[in-house]
Amino acid sequence: MKRAAILIGVSKSGTLPELRATLPSVRAMEAWALDQRIDRKMVQVFTDENGPLDPAPIKTAIAALVDSGEVGQLIIYFSGHGINNRYNEFWLLSGAPEDPQAAVNVSGSMELARFSGIPHVVFFSDACRTAAVGIQAQYVSGSEVFPSRLPGGTELAVDVFWGTTLGNPAYETKDANDAATAYKAHFTEALVYALSGRRTDIVAPDEHGGLPPSGLVHPRPLKTFLRGDVTKRLLAAGIPMSVFQVPDARISSEPEAWVSRVPLPAAGEQSTDRVPESPPAPTTPTDVSTILLDKALNPDRRYIRDPLAEVRNAPIAQELFDRIRETGNPFGPDRYETQCGFKIRGAKCVDAYSSRFAPEILNEATDFDAQGVNFEPGQLVRMHTAQWPPPPGDNALLTFEGGHSVLLPVIPEYLATVTVADEGVTDVFYEPSANSNRWVTYESLKDELREIRSVVAASAYFGAFQPGDENIEAFARQMQVAKGLDPTLAIYAAYAYHEVNDRQRILQMADVLLADIGLVFFDVAMLARSLDGPTVVPFFPLLSQGWALLGAFDAMLPPALEGLEGHLRQSLWTTFDDGGASQVRSYMQREARK
């Protein structure tokens, strides 16, 4: 297998603090790559050591590797400043964030890598994943560094190893043992240590190797090792446990895939590990999410011991539990006489517009025909239509007090609950109206579905929704049972399946949505690569993470919506400021007149 490595290091991005460990980290990865006997010409290093770095040379180098058709594995490593912008990852190059294009759109690049023709692409990211702060950082859109190729055939494996979990920084510290005041990045230090074969317990024998026998480092054991080892290194450097940096990974390659070939350890040989032992890595949202999803998907399973025992008291577990309770609690009436509308919690709806339905914002108790329902003015929006059957595939633009606006599908026979916070819309879910034909089926499943949906939604908020190999089949079966009973589950599921290259299941979900509710959500259609259907709603991704994928999927917005991305809030669900809402409303009115 012919291998190649693209190694990127940027010490200084715009006016952000200079990073001292970046260049040493890149050189350490370069030394490892050459020790792997990767051809010197196939190991290309891009840094700002001799001047500013922009995406162009990186894109040119990767395009040449793709066009050669000879590369079986491509390693892409980055050390520098990173941000998470609306649940998407960006590596900042020299001109960022002042120049919004001077960055690598990691999410989009990973998608294009799937169709590059290279069988195995591995991203290693030693960068922060904290939220973009300030107007400049929030406008960063970056550039995909892989060439766009027409998708065809099987999507190929793309693995990504993050130096930290979503929302958290990656640290570099001063090396107390180096008189030259050197700095080191703990994730890269642990990564090179493992890839070099010095951690013998994650080295597996190469069953197809020759003589002398060699060992392989596979992605999954590497993921597990990095989590604990980075914590140990931070403790050894005197960093308190309150500092949160736990590596994460998304692995879609087959179990036999490998990232490093090393000498096979002799029998009984011990790891050359001088890092002192320490407590296990801190609990992450993914840890808690995986356990809770397993319990929700398998309610009849008997456990020998409580699987939550070790994580229940962790601060992040409490945050996740609180959000699950918030999103899982039923809110407002369970029916409208129109069998269609919205319920808003956390904000007051001050305006609603739809081109094919007539919105009615309820401000008085006398506006509602059910007794015993408590609500504040602006929390309930009924959708009326004189057409029967009701038209499928419409949208409603809801504007809330404080300047947030959201565009959501209007689905006959469903009530949507919308949760609004300071950053925008944090949760949306649909349930059948209790006076609709769907309610009888839903009522028998509602408790189970609500539990699963609240776990999934809360996990997505923390960027931690990963069904995992052990739950992916159970989750798929649950989706088949639920069908259209809570359509938003299909959106979360589509992104989860996308991460593991399971496009067939995304296509199946698109078909189920179309057959059941007469429309397909934009996100599901985009990930299924079937955006040309007439019943796709709305005009753009419902989840913010979909925006960074538009270019990679060649999913162009209508010209009248150009620049809309600049009006997005930093929220899980696509939320606009006043300027964005005005642009969307103008487009909807123009389309309605056609």
Coordinates of all heavy atoms in Angstrom, one line a residue, residues 529-557:
R529 N -28.0 12.5 -0.8 CA -27.6 13.0 -2.2 C -28.9 12.9 -3.1 O -28.8 12.4 -4.2 CB -26.4 12.2 -2.8 CG -25.2 12.5 -2.0 CD -23.9 11.9 -2.7 NE -22.7 12.2 -1.9 CZ -22.0 13.3 -2.0 NH1 -22.4 14.2 -2.9 NH2 -20.9 13.5 -1.2
S530 N -30.0 13.3 -2.6 CA -31.2 13.3 -3.4 C -32.0 14.6 -3.2 O -33.2 14.6 -2.9 CB -32.1 12.1 -3.0 OG -32.4 12.1 -1.6
L531 N -31.3 15.7 -3.3 CA -32.0 17.0 -3.1 C -32.9 17.5 -4.2 O -33.5 18.5 -4.1 CB -30.9 18.1 -2.9 CG -30.3 18.2 -1.4 CD1 -29.1 19.1 -1.4 CD2 -31.4 18.7 -0.5
D532 N -32.9 16.7 -5.3 CA -33.7 17.2 -6.5 C -35.2 16.9 -6.4 O -35.9 17.2 -7.3 CB -33.1 16.6 -7.8 CG -33.0 15.1 -7.7 OD1 -33.2 14.5 -6.6 OD2 -32.7 14.4 -8.7
G533 N -35.6 16.3 -5.3 CA -37.0 16.0 -5.1 C -37.9 17.2 -4.9 O -37.4 18.2 -4.3
P534 N -39.1 17.2 -5.3 CA -40.0 18.4 -5.1 C -40.5 18.6 -3.7 O -41.1 19.6 -3.4 CB -41.2 18.0 -6.1 CG -41.2 16.5 -6.1 CD -39.8 16.1 -5.9
T535 N -40.4 17.6 -2.8 CA -40.9 17.7 -1.5 C -39.9 17.9 -0.4 O -40.0 17.4 0.7 CB -41.8 16.5 -1.2 OG1 -41.1 15.3 -1.4 CG2 -43.1 16.5 -2.1
V536 N -38.7 18.5 -0.7 CA -37.7 18.7 0.2 C -37.9 20.0 1.0 O -38.2 21.1 0.3 CB -36.3 18.7 -0.5 CG1 -35.2 19.1 0.5 CG2 -36.0 17.4 -1.1
V537 N -37.9 20.0 2.3 CA -38.2 21.2 3.1 C -37.1 21.3 4.2 O -36.7 20.2 4.7 CB -39.6 21.2 3.7 CG1 -40.6 21.3 2.6 CG2 -39.8 20.0 4.5
P538 N -36.7 22.5 4.7 CA -37.0 23.7 4.0 C -36.0 23.9 2.8 O -35.6 22.9 2.2 CB -36.8 24.7 5.1 CG -35.8 24.1 6.0 CD -36.0 22.6 5.9
F539 N -35.4 25.1 2.7 CA -34.5 25.4 1.6 C -33.0 25.2 1.9 O -32.1 25.5 1.1 CB -34.7 26.9 1.1 CG -36.1 27.4 1.2 CD1 -36.4 28.4 2.0 CD2 -37.1 26.8 0.4 CE1 -37.7 28.9 2.1 CE2 -38.4 27.2 0.5 CZ -38.7 28.3 1.3
F540 N -32.8 24.8 3.2 CA -31.4 24.7 3.7 C -31.4 23.8 4.9 O -32.5 23.3 5.3 CB -30.9 26.1 4.1 CG -31.9 27.0 4.8 CD1 -32.4 26.6 6.1 CD2 -32.4 28.1 4.2 CE1 -33.3 27.4 6.7 CE2 -33.4 28.9 4.8 CZ -33.8 28.5 6.1
P541 N -30.2 23.5 5.5 CA -30.2 22.5 6.6 C -30.9 23.0 7.8 O -30.9 24.2 8.2 CB -28.7 22.4 6.9 CG -28.0 22.8 5.6 CD -28.9 23.8 5.0
L542 N -31.6 22.1 8.5 CA -32.3 22.4 9.7 C -31.3 22.4 10.9 O -31.5 23.2 11.8 CB -33.4 21.3 10.0 CG -34.7 21.5 9.1 CD1 -35.5 20.2 9.1 CD2 -35.5 22.7 9.6
L543 N -30.3 21.5 10.9 CA -29.3 21.5 11.9 C -28.1 22.4 11.4 O -27.7 22.3 10.2 CB -28.8 20.1 12.2 CG -29.8 19.2 12.9 CD1 -29.1 18.0 13.5 CD2 -30.5 19.9 14.1
S544 N -27.5 23.2 12.3 CA -26.5 24.1 11.9 C -25.3 23.4 11.3 O -24.6 23.9 10.4 CB -26.0 24.9 13.1 OG -27.1 25.8 13.5
Q545 N -25.0 22.1 11.7 CA -23.8 21.4 11.2 C -23.9 21.1 9.8 O -22.9 20.8 9.1 CB -23.6 20.1 12.0 CG -24.7 19.1 11.8 CD -24.6 17.9 12.8 OE1 -25.2 18.0 13.8 NE2 -23.9 16.9 12.4
G546 N -25.1 21.2 9.2 CA -25.2 20.9 7.7 C -24.7 22.0 6.8 O -24.4 21.8 5.7
W547 N -24.6 23.2 7.4 CA -24.2 24.3 6.5 C -22.7 24.2 6.0 O -22.5 24.5 4.8 CB -24.3 25.7 7.3 CG -25.7 26.1 7.4 CD1 -26.6 25.6 8.4 CD2 -26.5 27.0 6.6 NE1 -27.9 26.2 8.2 CE2 -27.8 27.0 7.1 CE3 -26.1 27.8 5.5 CZ2 -28.8 27.8 6.6 CZ3 -27.1 28.6 5.0 CH2 -28.4 28.6 5.5
A548 N -21.8 23.7 6.8 CA -20.4 23.5 6.3 C -20.3 22.4 5.3 O -19.3 22.3 4.6 CB -19.5 23.2 7.5
L549 N -21.4 21.6 5.1 CA -21.3 20.5 4.1 C -21.9 20.9 2.8 O -21.9 20.1 1.8 CB -22.1 19.3 4.7 CG -21.5 18.7 6.0 CD1 -22.4 17.6 6.5 CD2 -20.1 18.1 5.8
L550 N -22.5 22.0 2.7 CA -23.2 22.4 1.4 C -22.3 22.3 0.2 O -22.7 21.8 -0.8 CB -23.8 23.8 1.6 CG -25.0 24.0 2.5 CD1 -25.4 25.4 2.7 CD2 -26.2 23.1 2.1
G551 N -21.1 22.9 0.4 CA -20.2 22.9 -0.8 C -19.8 21.5 -1.1 O -19.7 21.1 -2.3
A552 N -19.5 20.7 -0.2 CA -19.0 19.3 -0.4 C -20.1 18.5 -1.1 O -19.8 17.6 -1.9 CB -18.6 18.6 0.9
F553 N -21.4 18.8 -0.8 CA -22.5 18.0 -1.4 C -23.0 18.8 -2.7 O -24.0 18.3 -3.2 CB -23.6 17.9 -0.4 CG -23.4 16.7 0.5 CD1 -22.8 16.9 1.7 CD2 -23.8 15.4 0.2 CE1 -22.6 15.9 2.6 CE2 -23.6 14.4 1.1 CZ -23.0 14.6 2.3
D554 N -22.3 19.8 -3.1 CA -22.8 20.6 -4.2 C -24.2 21.0 -4.0 O -25.0 21.0 -5.0 CB -22.6 19.8 -5.5 CG -22.6 20.7 -6.7 OD1 -22.3 21.9 -6.6 OD2 -23.0 20.2 -7.8
A555 N -24.6 21.4 -2.8 CA -26.0 21.7 -2.5 C -26.1 23.3 -2.4 O -26.0 23.9 -1.4 CB -26.4 21.1 -1.2
M556 N -26.3 23.9 -3.6 CA -26.3 25.3 -3.7 C -27.7 25.9 -3.2 O -28.7 25.4 -3.6 CB -26.0 25.7 -5.1 CG -24.6 25.3 -5.6 SD -23.3 26.1 -4.6 CE -22.8 24.7 -3.5
L557 N -27.6 26.9 -2.5 CA -28.8 27.6 -2.1 C -29.3 28.5 -3.3 O -28.6 28.8 -4.1 CB -28.6 28.5 -0.9 CG -28.1 27.9 0.4 CD1 -28.0 28.9 1.5 CD2 -29.1 26.8 0.8

